[in-house]
């Protein structure tokens, strides 16, 4: 739980910084084109889902592996 929680916090902080920044910078950049392309919050939410999906799978598999490991095997290999 602690491993998952800390990794989740890092992901959420990264999203909290990147989402508004990318929204405003992309709208500023796209404003200069004659054929305006819509860039809304749906695009940002899609990007967040793309980031959270592999992040969740990665941390979930690592947490599962750590939770299902036998402590005695770790002690045997440490000596």
């Amino acid at each position: 739980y602690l491993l998952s929680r800390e990794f989740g916090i890092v992901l959420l902080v990264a999203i909290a910084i990147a989402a508004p920044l990318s929204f405003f910078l992309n709208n500023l950049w796209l404003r200069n084109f004659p054929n305006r392309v819509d860039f809304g919050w749906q695009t940002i939410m899609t990007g967040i889902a793309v980031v959270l999906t592999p992040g969740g799978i990665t941390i979930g598999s690592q947490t599962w592996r750590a939770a299902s490991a036998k402590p005695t095997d770790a002690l045997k290999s440490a000596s």
Side-chain angles (χ1 to χ4, degrees):
Y1 170 75
L2 293 175
L3 179 66
S4 301
R5 186 178 63 139
E6 288 183 18
F7 189 76
I9 289 171
V10 169
L11 277 177
L12 291 177
V13 167
I15 288 170
I17 292 169
L21 188 65
S22 68
F23 178 77
F24 292 117
L25 288 177
N26 279 313
N27 277 331
L28 182 68
W29 177 61
L30 290 172
R31 191 179 305 162
N32 295 328
F33 289 105
N35 297 331
R36 176 101 167 93
V37 177
D38 239 3
F39 185 83
W41 287 104
Q42 298 85 5
T43 309
I44 298 294
M45 291 300 172
T46 304
I48 290 172
V50 167
V51 167
L52 286 179
T53 301
I57 291 170
T58 302
I59 195 61
S61 67
Q62 294 298 317
T63 303
W64 180 262
R65 190 169 68 163
S68 63
K70 296 178 184 175
T72 54
D73 291 340
L75 291 174
K76 286 179 187 176
S77 66
S79 58

